[in-house]
Each structure stands twice: as C-alpha cells, then as structure tokens.
Amino acid sequence: MTLPSPPPTFNSLDDTPQPVSGRANRYAPDMVVPLHHHRRGQLLLIVQGTALIAAGDCRWMVPAQHALWIPPGTEHSLQMLGSTASHSAYLEPDLASALPRRACVLGVSPLMRALMAEVVALPHDHGADRRAALIVALILEEVARLPELPLALPMPREARLAALCRDFVAAPTPRDTIDRWAGAAAMSRRAFTRAFREQTGLSLVAWRQQASLFAALPRLAAGESVTAVALDLGYESPAAFTTMFRRVLGQPPRRYLGGGAVS
C-alpha cells in the first residue's frame, strides 16, 4: 500500500515569504488529521475521494472536485473516506479578508482546478518568478468568484440530540419521524423541535436532507448509480431522491457530479 504523504509542517507553510503557498497531499482510507489550525487561510481542494471536515459544531462533506475554504486561525480536523488526494493553497490573512469569515464549501471551476495544480507544483522560494506571480494573482482573482454550496451539517451540542444525529448519518432514512426522535431523546415534540432548531439552526426535516446528502455524495462520486443510492437510503424511487438533491444543490446528481453518477 502506498503510504500517504505526511501532514504538512504547518509552521513552514505559515512562515514562507510567499503570499500564497501550495501543497499536495495523499491520504490512506480512514486516515484522520487531528485538530489543528493555520495562521493563513486555506483553500482545500479535494482532488480524489471524499473528506469529512469538522470545525466547531459544524461538519462538511467535501466530495472530489469541491473545496473547503478555511479562514485563518480556524481549528479543524479531517477524516478521509476512502483514498483521498488534495491540493491546498494557503493565503496570507490580508489576502483572505475579502473571502467568507466562516468555513464553507465552494464549487470549483475548471480554471481554479488547473491553477491549484500549478500552485502546489511551485517551489516555496519562487520569489520574483513572473510565471509564479501570475499564477498567484489569478488564484486570488478566481477564488473570490467561487460559489458557496450548502454542504454544511451542523451538529447539536446536547448529547442525546447529537447521538440521534450520529445514528442517522450512519443509517439515514427519510421515513423517520419527529415524534420518534423526540421520544428517543425523552422530550416532548415541542421541546425537541425548539431545542433542535436552537442548536443547529435548521428544522429536523432540513437537517435530515443535508445528512442524506452526506451519505449519498461519496457513493455517487465513486460512480454508484442514483437508483442504488436512492433505494438504499429509503427513498421510494430515484425520482424522489433526485427531487430532494435538486432542491438542496440546485442540480440533479448526474449534472452536479459532472457525469460521475449514472441513473
């Protein structure tokens, strides 16, 4: 088995004299990068595989060809779902000031993917190299245009609610009910719905839609059929799953994943 590249030496990435530095990494299945932070902002592009990234009370599922923007100083951890490869660009804090102040998943244009492949190949001491300067300038221009995608999954703080959410992520089903969740948490329906929304910012229905996407995206990105994924998740038909997918992400699965999933 090919050993993964070691995690980056965070101080060296933060301290390089270049305003934007890059790094490529490969990770073994289920590898975990523990909680850490960078002085710089990080644009983390998943080139292959899928990563589950946590920061505070929020989780992000980042499939291949998508990126997570991590603002400067944000503590975060990563878990790889299958063999995973990434390209990262680290931006000086003053260059990151125009980008979101919270972590978020970004859609990545073909141009940005090509630029990320170039920046990770640059030597850290590229200095006044004109081509390197143009690559960095174009990255800064393009990153501000990347669209934010609704792929965050906030997790409640309260232990009983968090346990129910973890169980659902492990085995999602659209047929679960608020009453069952409230009963399992030993709460009234009203108290449960109020607490859940206060702690996640979402209704249970909206949260479960996001969680279903978390379960579906790695499988679809790996090439599994929409039909198989939809039925395994408990949807009555592929059309019902596709409707949910389009409502949340704005496109049907095949188009969203660039043709990687088949019906």
Side-chain angles (χ1 to χ4, degrees):
M1 180 180 72
T2 302
L3 294 176
S5 300
T9 303
F10 301 121
N11 288 339
S12 67
L13 288 172
D14 279 347
D15 297 339
T16 175
Q18 311 308 326
V20 177
S21 58
R23 179 158 185 131
N25 279 288
R26 297 194 67 86
Y27 303 95
D30 301 319
M31 182 175 176
V32 174
V33 177
L35 198 65
H36 65 281
H37 68 276
H38 314 282
R39 182 181 64 82
R40 295 182 172 210
Q42 179 184 7
L43 183 68
L44 173 62
L45 170 65
I46 302 301
V47 178
Q48 172 191 329
T50 303
L52 179 63
I53 304 171
D57 291 331
C58 213
R59 306 289 184 273
W60 294 266
M61 180 74 74
V62 186
Q65 307 309 320
H66 293 70
L68 185 74
W69 166 244
I70 306 170
T74 301
E75 289 203 330
H76 58 283
S77 61
L78 297 81
Q79 179 181 354
M80 310 307 157
L81 306 180
S83 297
T84 304
S86 69
H87 290 163
S88 288
Y90 298 87
L91 284 63
E92 275 291 319
D94 61 332
L95 299 178
S97 60
L99 296 172
R101 297 192 177 185
R102 54 182 176 77
C104 57
V105 176
L106 300 175
V108 181
S109 64
L111 173 59
M112 193 66 186
R113 288 197 290 270
L115 290 169
M116 292 289 283
E118 292 292 338
V119 78
V120 301
L122 293 176
H124 289 304
D125 59 350
H126 57 75
D129 180 87
R130 183 173 181 272
R131 180 176 180 275
L134 291 172
I135 290 170
V136 167
L138 193 50
I139 284 176
L140 296 176
E141 186 72 24
E142 186 71 5
V143 70
R145 299 171 178 264
L146 301 181
E148 184 175 343
L149 301 176
L151 289 178
L153 189 68
M155 299 293 281
R157 299 179 302 276
E158 205 276 331
R160 293 172 297 176
L161 302 186
L164 287 167
C165 288
R166 287 194 298 269
D167 290 346
F168 185 87
V169 170
T173 170
R175 299 189 183 92
D176 225 347
T177 66
I178 294 175
D179 289 334
R180 191 197 73 78
W181 282 53
M187 302 169 72
S188 70
R189 180 187 175 101
R190 182 177 179 182
F192 173 85
T193 55
R194 182 173 62 248
F196 195 89
R197 186 178 286 276
E198 285 176 352
Q199 294 184 36
T200 66
L202 297 171
S203 69
L204 181 60
V205 171
W207 186 92
R208 286 193 312 223
Q209 286 182 343
Q210 297 289 85
S212 292
L213 286 177
F214 266 51
L217 278 171
R219 297 177 60 182
L220 293 172
E224 289 193 46
S225 72
V226 173
T227 298
V229 172
L231 296 179
D232 283 352
L233 292 178
Y235 283 84
E236 294 182 358
S237 67
F241 172 78
T242 297
T243 297
M244 180 278 294
F245 195 103
R246 187 199 299 268
R247 183 167 57 247
V248 176
L249 293 178
Q251 294 179 322
R254 292 185 68 182
R255 185 179 303 168
Y256 181 81
L257 292 165
V262 294
S263 59

